[in-house]
Amino acid sequence: MAEQAQRRAFEAQAQEKPTDNNHAYEELRHLIVAPEQEGIASIQDRLENLEKRTEDVSVVVAEAIQMRRAKGDDLALAAALAPTIQETLRESVRRDPHVLADALFPVMGPAIRKSIAETLRGMLESFNEALEHSLSWRGIKWRIEAFRTGKPFAEIVLMHSLLYRVEQVFLIHRETGLVLNHVVAPSAPAQDADMVAGLLSAIQQFARDSFQPGKTENLGNMTFDELQIRVVSGPNAVIAAAIRGHAPEAYNLAMNETLEEIQRHYSSALARFAGDPGPFRAAESQIARLLETQYREKPPEMRRPRAAMIAGAIAAVLLLGWIGYSTYLLIEWSRFLSAMRKQPGIVVVSYTKDGRTFHIQGFRDPLSEDPKKLIAQAGLDPDHADLQLAPYYSLDDAIVARRAAALLHPPTGVTFTANDGELIPEGAASQNWIAQLEEKAPWIAGVSRVDESHLQNSNLQELNALKNTLESTALLFPLGRAELEVGQENNLTQTEKNIRELVAQAGSLHQAVSIELVGHTDITGVEAANLALSRQRADQIRAALLRNGVRSASLLPRGVGTSQPLRDEGTEEGRRLNRSVTFKITVSPLPAAGTVTGASGAAPLN
Amino acid sequence: MLQKKVCMLGSFSVGKSSLVRRFVESMFDEQYHTTIGVKVDKKVVHANGEDLTLVLWDIYGEDVFQKMRLSYLRGMHGYLLVVDGTRRQTLDDALELNERVVAAIGKVPAVLALNKYDLTDQWEIEPAQEAQLAAAGWTLEHTSAKTGDAVENAFSHLAQAMLAK
């Protein structure tokens, strides 16, 4: 304004003082620059005039926005306008809510209806599932689980029926059916995504053409047994998810949100798509979220019941174990009792069980097995047995034999058995012990007689052994002579010793001994001379024995010549043996104690 | 890798499926044809120095009983129009079909495959007519699914045309 005034003042001044030169110049100048000056003045005027400027912008504002949109950069414009529009809407509602309500009415109705329909569908699905499961075996299992965990049945049904896995997610260009991006869950089976997406689009197209001609709605779900394909469609893109199991309806919401996000982000790329999936590579993270976040494991609170189940199982095992052990003990005890009843010297009259203790009543011979030891041997606890066994004399054969052994102290090698009152000792025993046995046995309880047929008299056995030794001894002589062969002295000494022992033992057994000394010759020479020689040899030995003090036996010398040869004379060795004296011994019991002494005293003197 | 949706078009029994069966990766059963009227296969071709995935929509041949679902053609980047060279009628039908396709979808790259070229003695298409078609802007290929002749060429010419667009 100030400039304008200045300029006008300057022009007025110029007109007031026209000199000739000046005038001509001004005239020229006016002619040359006046139109421009006017133009500049008019532009300046328009610039400075707010009213005019506003008028100018109002003419182009719609075209400017259109041009901006045509350039494809509508996001920035939307961002710039958004706060103002929001504020405007808020202000509009504040002033008069009816204006917006009226404007939105035509779209709100269908939107609300659609939303309600979706929700009801979800509810019905869950309700159907609940109905379906309530009468099945699974349903009964879930009822038990609900009872056990104290949760509502509906919650348990939901918890189980919502288990699912999203195996693949396809981002598909709606128009062409080409794959923009594709993700597969780890270890899920995946086919060629290009072909699958193509056919999926074809099927969508087919369904649309066949059942809803003219509409643009898409098939929402396709179900094949356990596999479900859920499809959500936007104007340019489609998301299809292959789901194993039952995904909740809410999963569609996540799909829709992802699709909207992608549509917003890639709107121009989607509109311009000519087969290059490159720009959509970054959408992988968005669709992968649909894959990853929708896994649903069994909720962790399932672990608690599992712990309870384990505890229950342990308790059950323990209970079963206890019952088993008790039964085992009872069986063991009854087995033990029946074994004890068979035990000689023990009589079980009755038994009772009181808690863990067994009371056993009956009789027991002191010589029977110790019952406590039997209990321990059966693997049972002797402390759990209360034995009330009265002592008695058992007439059982085994106990009778044991009793006889206890009273008679048999020498080693002698054993007793008993059979129905008859005591049967077996083995070899001395004369003295046998005498004792005969005297004492009848006094032992349960013994009515003794069978000695299996009992050997050890003294008699020794006597017989000596007799056999002597009878196989031959004292040798040289050819034709009655003196002992050189070297036969030891033989003679041993023979003397044996005879003395024999006589002594026979004496203690009240036996009388007579010894024939039999002289032999070989066949050399005539028999009459041989007979005489053999007798001489026998006499010679008798003399030697007597000389050496063998007195207490009757020694009867006899010559048999060649009539009883010891060996065949065919060899020198045979003939040598036949030039000898041998012994023939007779042992016989003494007739009576009185006469024995006299006889034995007289015999050596014979 | 760049992808293109390619449709196989042509009358009933001109050998579209034979061409596809011999030269592409297949995953789905033939019976898709009869149930929903299309079978989707895939072929990777090399053109203009790059690999290109062709997703082939082999569309069930038209006959008097069944009209083709034009909705399957939506968004296609190119097509192979297949004709049985031993049956003149199939060429006329194909050209008629082509007009409908152009009307519905607009002009997109296409290759005209004159198939069954191994049966030369039964060939019914005059060289003059072929020249006329070429003059009208058609890329022609004499293919044979039986011998395999020119099938790769048909696909790679189509690929080049689509890339040039």
Side-chain angles (χ1 to χ4, degrees), chain A residues 174-180 191-203 205-206 208-210 273-277 281, chain B residues 1-5 25-28 32 35-42 53-55 57 69-77:
Chain A
R174 183 165 177 173
E175 179 92 348
T176 58
L178 293 175
V179 179
L180 302 174
Q191 302 81 15
D192 188 292
D194 296 325
M195 287 191 254
V196 172
L199 196 64
L200 208 53
S201 304
I203 292 170
Q205 205 78 54
F206 173 77
R208 204 177 303 143
D209 289 355
S210 308
F273 180 72
D276 180 12
R281 219 161 280 153
Chain B
M1 201 191 299
L2 212 54
Q3 304 169 329
K4 295 288 177 189
K5 174 174 172 178
E25 265 180 69
S26 236
M27 189 171 112
F28 302 113
Y32 279 94
T35 47
I36 64 166
V38 67
K39 179 167 161 268
V40 178
D41 298 297
K42 180 171 139 176
T53 301
L54 304 183
V55 177
W57 289 47
R69 290 174 191 277
L70 286 169
S71 57
Y72 286 153
L73 309 181
R74 273 186 62 196
M76 72 173 173
H77 298 105

Side-chain angles (χ1 to χ4, degrees), chain A residues 235-246:
Chain A
N236 301 116
V238 173
I239 290 182
I243 304 165
R244 204 164 286 282
H246 301 276

Side-chain angles (χ1 to χ4, degrees), chain B residues 132-152:
Chain B
Q132 208 181 320
L133 286 165
W138 280 105
T139 306
L140 293 178
E141 287 291 344
H142 293 108
T143 57
S144 165
K146 198 171 174 188
T147 63
D149 282 346
V151 181
E152 290 286 345

Side-chain angles (χ1 to χ4, degrees), chain A residues 246-436:
Chain A
H246 301 276
E249 279 300 313
Y251 182 73
N252 280 31
L253 190 67
M255 287 176 75
N256 268 317
E257 278 168 6
T258 307
L259 182 66
E260 281 159 17
E261 206 180 319
I262 288 169
Q263 283 272 165
R264 207 163 52 234
H265 258 93
Y266 299 95
S267 58
S268 51
L270 281 169
R272 284 198 300 264
F273 180 72
D276 180 12
F280 304 96
R281 219 161 280 153
E284 183 163 328
S285 60
Q286 280 153 303
I287 60 169
R289 217 156 44 216
L290 286 175
L291 207 60
E292 286 162 3
T293 54
Q294 299 306 324
Y295 276 124
R296 179 130 180 176
E297 302 292 337
K298 283 201 169 188
E301 46 284 16
M302 286 303 286
R303 276 180 209 136
R304 231 176 331 165
R306 199 176 294 155
M309 269 166 70
I310 290 167
I314 291 172
V317 166
L318 287 177
L319 182 70
L320 277 175
W322 181 74
I323 291 170
Y325 183 66
S326 305
T327 313
Y328 163 80
L329 274 187
L330 210 62
I331 292 168
E332 283 299 293
W333 268 106
S334 66
R335 244 187 228 157
F336 161 73
L337 282 169
S338 70
M340 202 155 87
R341 280 182 166 137
K342 283 180 198 150
Q343 198 59 231
I346 294 175
V347 179
V348 175
V349 178
S350 68
Y351 69 93
T352 51
K353 189 175 181 291
D354 167 23
R356 296 180 70 188
T357 310
F358 277 82
H359 302 280
I360 300 169
Q361 292 88 27
F363 301 99
R364 174 182 172 240
D365 189 293
L367 289 172
S368 67
E369 286 286 341
D370 180 2
K372 293 263 179 192
K373 212 170 92 189
L374 290 173
I375 292 170
Q377 274 171 4
L380 300 163
D381 188 351
D383 293 343
H384 289 166
D386 165 34
L387 300 169
Q388 298 155 18
L389 301 173
Y392 83 114
Y393 267 133
S394 167
L395 296 187
D396 197 285
D397 288 339
I399 297 295
V400 168
R402 222 174 278 170
R403 192 178 298 136
L407 293 172
L408 293 170
H409 307 292
T412 34
V414 175
T415 56
F416 285 113
T417 49
N419 184 17
D420 202 15
E422 186 174 51
L423 185 67
I424 308 158
E426 233 172 300
S430 72
Q431 177 72 23
N432 281 340
W433 185 82
I434 292 169
Q436 243 183 36

